[in-house]
Amino acid sequence: VTRVTVRRAGPADRDAVERVVSERWGTPSIVSRGAVHDAREAGAFVAERSGDLVGVATVVVDGDDVELLTLDALVEGAGVGTMLVDCVVQTAAAVGARRVVVCTTNDNEHAVAFYRRRGFEVCAVRRGAVDRARERKPEIPAIGRCGIPVHDEIEMELLLTGP
Ligand SMILES: CC(C)(COP(=O)(O)OP(=O)(O)OC[C@H]1O[C@@H](n2cnc3c(N)ncnc32)[C@H](O)[C@@H]1OP(=O)(O)O)[C@@H](O)C(=O)NCCC(=O)NCCS
């Protein structure tokens, strides 16, 4: 079994990060918490296995929060998502952030459970927020995972303890 490694993305990874985010989320613009973010301008972490890109996380700093904008494991169940989240949490703690936040949608029960198992808790549910986001980003599907209509944004947080 070849090990997965995670590192901060550099300028040479820019195109690959943009490609993954666009493929997985429709375009590089990510709407969350009422703001539109350009994933190309965000910080990013990449996971690799045998030289192949197997995962991408993008992050933005918002005051005391580090927001995980996107998380994508291109191979599932191999620890890629966990390693990327760990890396984001460690980096957030190192820069003195108060919490790591991540938004997902009401259809993505897999992601909610994944983050819960990693210590995140739901801190806000914004009903209709994804319907409003879809007006700005029509690529957001109306029907999401498991045939569930996508309407609401679910925000989760991991509080970081100070030094
Ligand atoms: C959510 C998502 C990022 C999870 O990524 P993943 O790489 O499959 O997650 P992991 O492999 O780290 O963990 C999944 C499970 O596999 C297990 N696992 C299997 N093989 C493993 C290995 N070699 N090392 C570590 N964990 C392993 C983990 O224990 C974990 O189980 P648990 O959650 O019950 O603890 C991934 O499903 C994904 O990309 N989803 C689509 C995009 C999305 O919804 N993103 C989140 C919203 S922004």
Side-chain angles (χ1 to χ4, degrees):
V1 184
T2 318
R3 274 166 44 86
V4 174
T5 56
V6 169
R7 62 178 173 80
R8 186 182 279 277
D13 303 304
R14 196 182 146 97
D15 290 350
V17 168
E18 177 181 351
R19 194 172 61 245
V20 169
V21 173
S22 297
E23 274 171 12
R24 307 276 291 212
W25 302 101
T27 73
S29 68
I30 302 295
V31 187
S32 90
R33 306 204 287 174
V36 185
H37 300 275
D38 187 338
R40 293 170 297 194
E41 309 297 323
F45 296 89
V46 292
E48 291 165 317
R49 193 174 62 182
S50 306
D52 293 329
L53 183 68
V54 290
V56 171
T58 59
V59 294
V60 287
V61 177
D62 179 11
D64 288 342
D65 295 343
V66 165
E67 180 173 359
L68 181 52
L69 270 189
T70 65
L71 175 67
D72 287 286
L74 306 182
V75 292
E76 294 208 32
V80 170
T82 301
M83 287 184 68
L84 285 167
V85 169
D86 284 351
C87 199
V88 169
V89 170
Q90 282 167 26
T91 304
V95 300
R98 192 172 67 84
R99 48 180 208 154
V100 177
V101 296
V102 60
C103 292
T104 184
T105 48
N106 65 282
D107 61 309
N108 202 349
E109 291 167 357
H110 173 69
V112 171
F114 169 84
Y115 291 120
R116 271 193 216 284
R117 286 192 290 269
R118 282 147 190 86
F120 288 75
E121 290 178 7
V122 173
C123 58
V125 176
R126 284 184 279 274
R127 298 195 65 195
V130 185
D131 294 324
R132 294 189 288 278
R134 196 180 291 107
E135 290 168 12
R136 295 199 249 182
K137 180 177 170 180
E139 291 85 359
I140 299 174
I143 306 293
R145 292 166 172 83
C146 307
I148 300 173
V150 191
H151 299 298
D152 314 317
E153 181 173 68
I154 298 177
E155 180 173 340
M156 302 184 75
E157 66 176 7
L158 178 75
L159 296 175
L160 301 170
T161 46

PDB file of all heavy atoms in Angstrom, residues 9-15:
ATOM      1  N   ALA A   9      -0.267  23.568  -1.207  1.00  0.00           N
ATOM      2  CA  ALA A   9      -0.132  23.725  -2.649  1.00  0.00           C
ATOM      3  C   ALA A   9       0.748  24.928  -2.965  1.00  0.00           C
ATOM      4  O   ALA A   9       0.703  25.941  -2.260  1.00  0.00           O
ATOM      5  CB  ALA A   9      -1.507  23.902  -3.291  1.00  0.00           C
ATOM      6  N   GLY A  10       1.525  24.816  -4.014  1.00  0.00           N
ATOM      7  CA  GLY A  10       2.355  25.925  -4.484  1.00  0.00           C
ATOM      8  C   GLY A  10       1.865  26.416  -5.836  1.00  0.00           C
ATOM      9  O   GLY A  10       0.881  25.886  -6.374  1.00  0.00           O
ATOM     10  N   PRO A  11       2.551  27.426  -6.394  1.00  0.00           N
ATOM     11  CA  PRO A  11       2.139  27.987  -7.691  1.00  0.00           C
ATOM     12  C   PRO A  11       2.031  26.924  -8.782  1.00  0.00           C
ATOM     13  O   PRO A  11       1.151  27.000  -9.646  1.00  0.00           O
ATOM     14  CB  PRO A  11       3.254  28.992  -8.017  1.00  0.00           C
ATOM     15  CG  PRO A  11       3.877  29.328  -6.700  1.00  0.00           C
ATOM     16  CD  PRO A  11       3.731  28.119  -5.823  1.00  0.00           C
ATOM     17  N   ALA A  12       2.882  25.899  -8.734  1.00  0.00           N
ATOM     18  CA  ALA A  12       2.859  24.854  -9.767  1.00  0.00           C
ATOM     19  C   ALA A  12       1.599  23.988  -9.687  1.00  0.00           C
ATOM     20  O   ALA A  12       1.269  23.271 -10.631  1.00  0.00           O
ATOM     21  CB  ALA A  12       4.104  23.973  -9.640  1.00  0.00           C
ATOM     22  N   ASP A  13       0.893  24.037  -8.554  1.00  0.00           N
ATOM     23  CA  ASP A  13      -0.315  23.215  -8.369  1.00  0.00           C
ATOM     24  C   ASP A  13      -1.586  23.955  -8.761  1.00  0.00           C
ATOM     25  O   ASP A  13      -2.680  23.391  -8.728  1.00  0.00           O
ATOM     26  CB  ASP A  13      -0.445  22.806  -6.887  1.00  0.00           C
ATOM     27  CG  ASP A  13       0.781  22.071  -6.404  1.00  0.00           C
ATOM     28  OD1 ASP A  13       1.124  21.049  -7.024  1.00  0.00           O
ATOM     29  OD2 ASP A  13       1.405  22.520  -5.427  1.00  0.00           O
ATOM     30  N   ARG A  14      -1.425  25.234  -9.105  1.00  0.00           N
ATOM     31  CA  ARG A  14      -2.594  26.099  -9.298  1.00  0.00           C
ATOM     32  C   ARG A  14      -3.596  25.530 -10.305  1.00  0.00           C
ATOM     33  O   ARG A  14      -4.796  25.466 -10.040  1.00  0.00           O
ATOM     34  CB  ARG A  14      -2.084  27.473  -9.757  1.00  0.00           C
ATOM     35  CG  ARG A  14      -3.086  28.578  -9.633  1.00  0.00           C
ATOM     36  CD  ARG A  14      -2.489  29.877 -10.172  1.00  0.00           C
ATOM     37  NE  ARG A  14      -3.537  30.661 -10.783  1.00  0.00           N
ATOM     38  CZ  ARG A  14      -4.178  31.641 -10.158  1.00  0.00           C
ATOM     39  NH1 ARG A  14      -3.856  31.966  -8.937  1.00  0.00           N
ATOM     40  NH2 ARG A  14      -5.140  32.296 -10.758  1.00  0.00           N
ATOM     41  N   ASP A  15      -3.099  25.098 -11.458  1.00  0.00           N
ATOM     42  CA  ASP A  15      -4.003  24.595 -12.499  1.00  0.00           C
ATOM     43  C   ASP A  15      -4.710  23.320 -12.055  1.00  0.00           C
ATOM     44  O   ASP A  15      -5.902  23.137 -12.300  1.00  0.00           O
ATOM     45  CB  ASP A  15      -3.234  24.328 -13.796  1.00  0.00           C
ATOM     46  CG  ASP A  15      -2.773  25.618 -14.464  1.00  0.00           C
ATOM     47  OD1 ASP A  15      -3.209  26.698 -14.018  1.00  0.00           O
ATOM     48  OD2 ASP A  15      -1.975  25.537 -15.417  1.00  0.00           O
TER      49      ASP A  15
END
